[in-house]
Amino acid sequence: MAAEYEPIVGRYLRLDLGGRRHRLYVEEAGEGIPLVCLHTAGADNRQWRHLMTDAEITRLFRVLAFDMPWHGKSLPPAGWQDEEYRLTTHDYIDLVMTFIRTLGLERPVVLGCSIGGKIVLELARLHAPAFRALVGLESADYQAPWYDDTGWLHRPDVHGGEVSGAMMSGLIAPQSPSETRWDTLWMYMQGGPGVFKGDLHFYRADGDFRDRVAQIDTGQCPLYLLTGEYDFSCTPADTERTAAKIKGAEVTVMREIGHFPMSENPAQFRRYILPVLEAIRARG
Amino acid sequence: MMAPVLERLPEWVNADAALVRRGRYLSTTFLVEIGETSWLVSVHAGRVERVERGPFLMREWAFAIRGSADAWRRYWEPVPAPGFHDLFALTKGGHARVEGDLQPFMANLRYVKDVLTLPRGRV
């Protein structure tokens, strides 16, 4: 019997970020319009595995997803052992733009979720002509915190992986299938110490874009925002409030979905993302 | 209708070997408030040893989870509505509060959440 390989290929990409050498783990599948997928805080590119094995998508799109530095199979940069990891807007923009430049991707689509959905808003504001379209999942210019202290995620008397998984379990819709729910939580349980917390510095503090999203010009690049109804971290109301400031932004509220659409319930997410990707393809 | 729910926790929890194992490092007493009624849940090594109904005059507990009767009722619906599907959704929405010594709560968060979700679809 032939070995059953998935069509996803994983490689390591060498690039410089902030003047430091990095080795980024990248997966890709498909051919066509480049579609760069950004994972959520404290997770990794495995969240996109269902999208990357969907022939409806990969026959038209070259889907790429990297693990951010410190996440998944991308190591932290040399010297990390004496540093506190903290993601900033500046570093995140630099990461995405450097990745696209290094691979020579021409006018890609960027599809990001949570922190990835949030950075899409800054990409739209600062670099619109570089993209064919931008898609933010669970994306808002700001979202009120749902717990006081992210310090719980990184302290010696609480297991970081266990507590991260237990926190995130609530952001998954009750309808999501057991297998993909627990896949999603496993990624949170596997995160390195302090990494999820470091990402949340961007999500909760540095990435407050309330003063600037009105500058986004969707005439230069279409912007689609899709949020799950069960997401109480970035709520549909947060996304709608954000979109109300951006002329031309298209909002969809996804039923029976929480904070991790592509990962927690790929079949349900597919119903929402396929029409968006088709609209992007049709626009050229 | 609400009253017997928490009293069934010993039966439900202790019959669930995976849940008891998950809580094997937890021995504590925590308070659950359903509207005006208080309950003390005593856990020993992941087993629920005792559930007592208040009012209490002078009792210790590590942490407390307080919610309105309506919030718990909606939380325990078979398929809860958005905003009522998770403990932190309840707290963010102002329907519940978590107070006290949060270390045992956070260190055993999956266990505590799983225990408090057991009545879902059974009440």
Side-chain angles (χ1 to χ4, degrees):
Chain A
M1 200 177 95
E4 191 185 348
Y5 275 118
E6 292 189 359
I8 302 172
V9 174
R11 301 183 72 178
Y12 292 89
L13 176 69
R14 293 182 182 177
L15 42 69
D16 287 334
L17 298 166
R20 298 169 82 179
R21 206 74 185 129
H22 277 78
R23 180 173 181 264
L24 216 61
Y25 179 62
V26 185
E27 291 186 345
E28 78 167 272
E31 285 175 35
I33 300 166
L35 174 64
V36 178
C37 299
L38 309 176
H39 62 73
T40 64
D44 58 67
N45 66 7
R46 284 174 295 179
Q47 288 181 323
W48 298 103
R49 70 186 185 90
H50 302 281
L51 198 85
M52 298 179 101
T53 51
D54 188 333
E56 278 288 296
I57 293 170
T58 53
R59 71 189 173 85
L60 295 169
F61 290 86
R62 178 186 176 196
V63 188
L64 301 116
F66 55 79
D67 288 344
M68 298 172 77
W70 300 76
H71 298 69
K73 289 156 84 83
S74 295
L75 289 167
W80 66 269
Q81 65 275 14
D82 295 319
E83 298 172 19
E84 182 183 1
Y85 168 70
R86 290 221 306 188
L87 181 67
T88 64
T89 307
H90 174 273
D91 289 351
Y92 200 179
I93 290 280
D94 182 53
L95 167 62
V96 176
M97 297 308 289
T98 302
F99 176 78
I100 289 167
R101 196 169 51 245
T102 303
L103 287 186
L105 304 178
E106 198 181 328
R107 285 185 67 232
V109 181
V110 175
L111 165 62
C113 186
S114 185
I115 59 167
K118 184 179 273 294
I119 204 64
V120 152
L121 298 173
E122 259 316 68
L123 292 171
R125 187 177 74 90
L126 298 172
H127 301 287
F131 301 103
R132 181 182 296 257
L134 292 162
V135 187
L137 311 176
E138 320 310 316
S139 169
D141 56 358
Y142 173 79
Q143 61 292 314
W146 51 280
Y147 54 106
D148 295 315
D149 180 10
T150 58
W152 287 109
L153 304 174
H154 188 208
R155 49 186 270 174
D157 59 351
V158 175
H159 188 288
E162 298 262 25
V163 76
S164 297
M167 296 288 279
M168 292 306 105
S169 69
L171 292 179
I172 295 176
Q175 295 88 351
S176 289
S178 175
E179 181 180 351
T180 45
R181 160 187 301 273
W182 287 102
D183 278 358
T184 303
L185 296 177
W186 180 253
M187 292 175 225
Y188 275 89
M189 295 173 183
Q190 284 193 303
V195 173
F196 184 27
K197 181 189 168 194
D199 284 340
L200 292 180
H201 172 68
F202 166 70
Y203 186 67
R204 292 170 56 132
D206 198 50
D208 182 347
F209 299 148
R210 281 176 290 188
D211 61 345
R212 61 196 84 163
V213 289
Q215 299 165 27
I216 293 170
D217 179 4
T218 59
Q220 292 190 64
C221 175
L223 176 65
Y224 301 87
L225 302 176
L226 299 89
T227 295
E229 63 174 343
Y230 278 94
D231 188 349
F232 63 88
S233 173
C234 173
T235 64
D238 291 325
T239 302
E240 283 162 352
R241 188 202 62 240
T242 303
K245 301 184 205 169
I246 308 168
K247 195 175 170 218
E250 289 193 28
V251 178
T252 305
V253 176
M254 298 181 283
R255 302 297 163 203
E256 303 189 356
I257 282 184
H259 191 70
F260 313 95
M262 63 291 179
S263 177
E264 67 175 76
N265 193 344
Q268 181 75 349
F269 176 56
R270 195 172 188 276
R271 296 173 49 196
Y272 291 102
I273 199 63
L274 283 181
V276 170
L277 293 175
E278 173 52 27
I280 291 169
R281 190 200 61 77
R283 292 175 78 130
Chain B
M1 184 193 92
M2 302 298 277
V5 171
L6 292 183
E7 286 175 3
R8 298 200 57 191
L9 283 183
E11 174 196 339
W12 290 338
V13 172
N14 300 342
D16 186 336
L19 184 54
V20 170
R21 183 181 157 277
R22 202 170 304 139
R24 66 196 179 282
Y25 295 110
L26 182 65
S27 295
T28 191
T29 297
F30 62 91
L31 183 96
V32 179
E33 207 172 80
I34 301 176
E36 300 294 304
T37 311
S38 298
W39 304 81
L40 280 172
V41 181
S42 298
V43 177
H44 181 74
R47 292 176 58 84
V48 174
E49 299 280 281
R50 209 165 45 251
V51 175
E52 300 162 86
R53 180 178 185 155
F56 307 105
L57 294 175
M58 206 173 158
R59 293 286 298 273
E60 290 186 88
W61 41 264
F63 55 88
I65 301 161
R66 308 176 194 272
S68 67
D70 186 57
W72 287 111
R73 183 187 59 75
R74 298 191 64 178
Y75 181 75
W76 287 328
E77 282 176 352
V79 182
F84 293 88
H85 61 292
D86 182 68
L87 205 49
F88 291 100
L90 293 181
T91 57
K92 189 182 183 190
H95 308 294
R97 298 195 309 278
V98 181
E99 298 165 353
D101 179 7
L102 299 184
Q103 194 278 334
F105 172 73
M106 293 299 275
N108 297 278
L109 184 59
R110 184 178 159 197
Y111 173 83
V112 176
K113 281 170 67 166
D114 285 355
V115 167
L116 291 175
T117 307
L118 279 174
R120 184 167 288 168
R122 305 200 212 199
V123 294

